[in-house]
Amino acid sequence: MKINQLQIEIDGIDKEILRDLMEDARKPILQIANKIGISGAAIHQRLRKLEDAGVIAGSKFIIDYKVLGYKTMAFIGVYLDKASSNSDAVRELKKIPEVLECHYTTGNWSILVKIICKDNEHLMQLLNKKIQPIDGVSRTETFISLEQQIERQIQI
């Protein structure tokens, strides 16, 4: 596995630890250690090695946004008037809490944004009042997600 041009070797035990933690980041280390057949201290050492190498970038809780009333997910292709507007536009997009992801892309759009909204009216308000008025944004193209059918991390 290549990380930042540095090669790190991960063995079967590392992979098993990663698989367990990707499934449930709150799984107790001792439970993983017992399953694999090594000590908890060895698991901690391996995790520290993987963190130091950048393989593990952190852990997080996953919030079910639908339970909080956010029912509309959309992807917005943002056309910029010029490429140099990118950093300013991204700085403004970061200020919008509903923006979950922002990607600098090839193709027709300069930026692809993933956004979560309470409903279509909320989405329209964000587009009209927060996203389209950003300096450098010439227009947007919006795609509403009807259903997320796959969500996963890379398999190890």
Side-chain angles (χ1 to χ4, degrees):
M1 181 176 290
K2 256 190 154 164
I3 303 293
N4 295 331
Q5 304 302 325
L6 298 175
Q7 187 80 21
I8 178 170
E9 295 296 323
I10 61 172
D11 62 18
I13 292 173
D14 291 332
K15 288 179 182 178
E16 198 163 342
I17 294 167
L18 289 171
R19 281 188 209 109
D20 277 345
L21 291 174
M22 287 169 63
E23 182 182 302
D24 179 2
R26 297 185 339 164
K27 188 176 286 186
I29 297 299
L30 287 178
Q31 184 180 343
I32 298 169
N34 290 334
K35 177 183 168 197
I36 296 173
I38 62 175
S39 71
I43 299 278
H44 281 289
Q45 274 184 325
R46 286 172 175 269
L47 287 172
R48 193 169 23 259
K49 174 191 81 167
L50 293 167
E51 287 173 359
D52 291 346
V55 174
I56 299 174
S59 61
K60 60 184 176 182
F61 287 100
I62 299 170
I63 306 298
D64 186 341
Y65 56 85
K66 291 178 186 173
V67 173
L68 297 176
Y70 291 83
K71 296 181 175 24
T72 300
M73 178 180 291
F75 297 87
I76 303 168
V78 178
Y79 294 84
L80 297 176
D81 56 8
K82 56 189 178 227
S84 62
S85 299
N86 183 68
S87 60
D88 292 335
V90 171
R91 186 172 32 259
E92 292 303 311
L93 288 166
K94 282 182 182 178
K95 296 176 184 176
I96 303 170
E98 295 88 349
V99 171
L100 302 178
E101 296 179 17
C102 181
H103 301 266
Y104 189 49
T105 64
T106 62
N108 291 331
W109 315 303
S110 301
I111 301 170
L112 180 64
V113 175
K114 180 179 176 183
I115 193 165
I116 191 72
C117 301
K118 293 189 177 206
D119 51 32
N120 289 352
E121 185 177 336
H122 183 199
L123 172 61
M124 186 176 70
Q125 292 297 316
L126 287 171
L127 283 168
N128 292 336
K129 297 195 187 287
K130 292 191 176 181
I131 296 173
Q132 291 168 342
I134 293 172
D135 284 339
V137 172
S138 59
R139 66 186 179 103
T140 60
E141 190 171 354
T142 303
F143 301 89
I144 294 175
S145 171
L146 299 176
E147 178 184 20
Q148 182 173 347
Q149 297 179 316
I150 299 174
E151 180 180 12
R152 62 180 173 207
Q153 294 189 53
I154 191 164
Q155 292 183 357
I156 296 182

